[in-house]
Amino acid sequence: MSGVGGTASGVGGTVSGVVVVGVDGSESSLNAVEAAAREARARGATLRVVHAFLWPALHVPLGPSPVGPSAGGLRKLAEGLLTEAVERATATAPDVRVEQTLVTGEPLTVLEAQSRGAELVVVGSRGMGGFVGLLVGSTAVHLAAHGACPVLVVREQSAADGPVVLGVDGSPAADRAVDFAFAEAELRKAPLVALHAWTNWNAPLPAPQDASEPYANPPGALASEEERLLYEALAGHQERYPGVVVEHKVVHGGTREALIEASRSAQLMVVGSRGRGGFTGLLLGSVSQAVLHHAHCPVAVVRATRPASGTRTGTGE
């Protein structure tokens, strides 16, 4: 037994860290398994395939029905989902060590708890219980807002040779997202596009150069200030990742629209959970939510801080 009530399979040498992927039997979650296996391989990490087993908490019989086949039952079904996911992971990355874990509880709680011991959690954009017309499921949105580690939401197939696109707003809260994007670009051997979008409404005015002048700032001062903000947000990160080729891109326009358009040719988009101007208490900003719902590639949401350690990681079943 390994992990939280699971078994290990696969081949691999020394590993560091754990990548967690949530599965529910949907095609979306199996696509997430493939993405998670690639992430684990790139990191030299263990892949933990997790299924939240809700039925015991509802006191539903788990064994075969008296009128059904002896090999049936909800527990067998759950174990079969895990087996299928592990097979998909092994086919994608045969050298990755894989754990399978059946955890009693509902998916939101189970995966949030699992995120506390992981370096990345991967989920599909929609699950088995998704409502028709809902672009991103509640599990993905909840984890992006509450996960203790970066959360990768797998939506459409990405451009394999595209860049990693980083949404930069210059807020201190986004510093971890910047570092994560550089690390991902290095792992993927991909260029990094650092994109900052601004408008006259959302950009703070720079300090006036001469308050006695009729116009406190000369034309173009606001644009120059936004370019400076982008370079300052990346300062230090480029030195730590010298092999990453970075394109600085400053766009005068809406942030949501600019990021969604950039996602068309990207293999991954990275955003912070909240940016400058976010409402206090709002755990997932409007830009992050818009990208989760409409981006054309997988999206990684990186929160500014991790919750305190020591929280229980769920009950193995």
Side-chain angles (χ1 to χ4, degrees), residues 17-22 43 46 48 110-123 139-153 176-177 180 184 270-273 283-284 299-309:
V18 175
V19 172
V20 170
V21 59
R43 288 170 162 76
T46 295
R48 180 180 298 158
V110 167
L111 291 176
E112 183 183 341
Q114 288 282 329
S115 74
R116 298 182 184 276
E119 59 179 275
L120 180 70
V121 172
V122 184
V123 292
T139 298
V141 173
H142 177 92
L143 275 176
H146 298 275
C149 68
V151 174
L152 176 60
V153 179
R176 284 189 68 219
F180 180 87
E184 278 291 320
V270 180
V271 294
S273 59
L283 294 177
L284 192 62
V299 177
V301 179
V302 185
R303 291 186 64 198
T305 57
R306 297 178 69 109
S309 60

Side-chain angles (χ1 to χ4, degrees), residues 250-271:
V250 179
V251 177
H252 185 205
T255 303
R256 301 173 187 82
E257 295 79 5
L259 289 174
I260 292 168
E261 181 60 30
S263 73
R264 293 182 183 276
S265 58
Q267 60 174 282
L268 174 69
M269 175 155 288
V270 180
V271 294

Side-chain angles (χ1 to χ4, degrees), residues 56-128:
L58 301 179
H59 306 292
V60 174
L62 306 181
S65 166
V67 296
S70 59
L74 293 173
R75 185 183 298 278
K76 284 290 185 183
L77 175 62
E79 291 170 352
L81 295 180
L82 281 172
T83 298
E84 181 183 13
V86 169
E87 289 174 350
R88 183 77 71 97
T90 302
T92 302
D95 54 339
V96 169
R97 183 174 184 268
V98 183
E99 298 175 353
Q100 53 180 309
T101 304
L102 196 61
V103 184
T104 297
E106 53 89 25
L108 300 181
T109 303
V110 167
L111 291 176
E112 183 183 341
Q114 288 282 329
S115 74
R116 298 182 184 276
E119 59 179 275
L120 180 70
V121 172
V122 184
V123 292
S125 60
R126 293 274 310 278
M128 293 291 284

